[in-house]
Amino acid sequence: MIDRPILIAGRNGQLARCLRNLAAVRDLPAVALGRRELDLESREGIDKIIASLAPSAIINAAAYTAVDQAESEATKAFSINRDGAAALADVAWQMNIPFLHVSTDYVFDGAKPDAYDENDIPAPLNVYGASKLAGEAAVLAAHPLATVIRCSWLYSPYGSNFVRTMLRLCETQPIVRVVRDQLGNPTYAFDLAEAVLRIAERSVTDDRRATAGIYHLAGQGETSWHDFAQAIFHERSRRGARIPALEAITTEEFPTAARRPRNSRLDSSKAERVFGIRLAPWRHSLQACLDQPAGEGEIDAEGNRPGWRQRNAPLSDHARGQQAVAPDL
């Protein structure tokens, strides 16, 4: 039984929103703080707010996630993703409470032909991935019993993500061009949030040594961005809505400031062995996501959650009415 709240660092990001909504539905005490209340670039502020809350655990779902922009804002990316994460972990260690930190598949370079497991050596291709990898190391140095969770291709009805971008383009473009030579595991943020909360609860009540370390948690099944878009369009068409033509392109046909790994697939078998957790197949979760309208499930200022059912993508190339898309996360 958890009597003190779990602190969720991050409030408006898609995972943070799913975490706080799920916690509310489950009557699990939790407090989600955004940048205004919890500035990860202010150690003094971090110490003060966490001391006042006296949480039972901390989940760090806050991060600098602008992948392309990070190439020109490396200092800020490292300040938040490494230094801010380490500060949170250090406070959690000093308070002797569990710390869960969310990381990314972008710590890998994508050269491996198979799915990455936790023993594979990271080699990020871009500043964002490097800042997240540095954050993992800093977190584990500050809190040796921390749990680091890497996810892949996160999407939800909220925020900026690939699914929402595809749905928007369905309304505005006759042709959508999507990269076909990058592979990964689409991960529904609600599925990941449920798993993270289960791990957090176990960390509070059980021996933390059993949950410490790095884990991969991603949706079951693999696909390319192009085939992911195709599945989104199929589900939208099945619901009676219009869809544009879909055209496959290569990574070289869509240059971006930050290089992306060709292979982002994550092997999540360790998490299944240790926690008994296996996320749902991505195609099943995609249906659940599309059945939940954007904004449904939001908690208002009075804590109400009307009608809620439990169950990242820069754009370019407007020429000739076409739209080329590459994922942000």
Side-chain angles (χ1 to χ4, degrees):
M1 180 69 178
I2 297 178
D3 53 359
R4 291 180 292 141
I6 294 173
L7 170 60
I8 301 167
R11 177 173 177 83
N12 296 317
Q14 53 181 331
L15 179 59
R17 291 167 81 169
C18 293
L19 283 166
R20 61 187 173 94
N21 289 341
L22 277 173
V25 167
R26 294 173 54 185
D27 292 322
L28 183 68
V31 176
L33 300 181
R35 188 178 308 168
R36 183 177 302 175
E37 304 90 359
L38 185 65
D39 183 356
L40 295 192
E41 296 184 275
S42 169
R43 177 58 193 260
E44 182 179 354
I46 290 172
D47 290 344
K48 184 176 180 180
I49 191 67
I50 295 178
S52 69
L53 289 172
S56 61
I58 299 174
I59 299 172
N60 183 24
Y64 180 107
T65 59
V67 177
D68 287 314
Q69 193 170 333
E71 296 297 306
S72 59
E73 292 187 351
T75 299
K76 189 170 187 65
F78 274 85
S79 177
I80 295 172
N81 292 345
R82 179 193 61 197
D83 303 336
L88 288 175
D90 182 58
V91 174
W93 180 255
Q94 298 302 323
M95 297 180 70
N96 192 28
I97 60 174
F99 185 75
L100 286 77
H101 176 69
V102 180
S103 191
T104 175
D105 54 312
Y106 275 25
V107 299
F108 297 112
D109 62 9
K112 185 180 179 181
D114 304 314
Y116 284 94
D117 63 37
E118 293 83 354
N119 294 318
D120 287 317
I121 298 174
L125 296 177
N126 52 53
V127 169
Y128 166 72
S131 70
K132 292 296 287 182
L133 179 60
E136 293 181 4
V139 161
L140 292 170
H143 195 310
L145 297 182
T147 303
V148 174
I149 298 170
R150 293 173 180 154
C151 64
S152 168
W153 292 19
L154 199 66
Y155 69 92
S156 73
Y158 314 128
S160 176
N161 61 72
F162 187 76
V163 171
R164 294 199 70 195
T165 296
M166 291 298 102
L167 295 178
R168 184 172 68 251
L169 295 182
C170 283
E171 301 289 347
T172 61
Q173 300 296 326
I175 301 174
V176 176
R177 304 164 67 224
V178 181
V179 292
R180 67 164 184 261
D181 53 0
Q182 297 175 23
L183 301 176
N185 311 104
T187 304
Y188 188 30
F190 274 115
D191 292 343
L192 180 61
E194 186 171 11
V196 169
L197 287 178
R198 285 177 58 186
I199 295 171
E201 289 180 280
R202 176 171 168 178
S203 298
V204 170
T205 57
D206 293 355
D207 186 343
R208 248 167 277 157
R209 290 173 294 183
T211 61
I214 298 175
Y215 298 87
H216 293 174
L217 267 175
Q220 291 182 55
E222 62 185 57
T223 190
S224 68
W225 289 115
H226 172 270
D227 290 350
F228 190 18
Q230 191 171 56
I232 295 166
F233 288 5
H234 172 74
E235 289 298 324
R236 179 177 168 86
S237 176
R238 201 166 61 84
R239 289 162 171 78
R242 75 169 292 276
I243 59 171
L246 180 63
E247 182 178 316
I249 60 173
T250 65
T251 297
E252 288 74 21
E253 291 178 276
F254 192 83
T256 55
R259 295 173 61 198
R260 267 73 169 173
R262 298 293 183 98
N263 174 27
S264 284
R265 294 172 294 171
L266 298 179
D267 181 339
S268 302
S269 57
K270 178 183 175 183
E272 185 172 5
R273 290 194 307 271
V274 174
F275 302 116
I277 291 174
R278 189 179 187 188
L279 301 192
W282 70 266
R283 290 183 183 275
H284 177 272
S285 293
L286 175 62
Q287 294 180 31
C289 178
L290 295 179
D291 285 339
Q292 180 156 318
E296 186 175 338
E298 282 302 287
I299 308 299
D300 66 18
E302 287 73 41
N304 300 312
R305 46 186 184 274
W308 190 74
R309 298 187 302 275
Q310 183 171 346
R311 22 161 328 265
N312 308 327
L315 311 177
S316 71
D317 191 9
H318 290 275
R320 298 184 303 278
Q322 298 185 5
Q323 187 77 41
V325 179
D328 195 20
L329 291 176

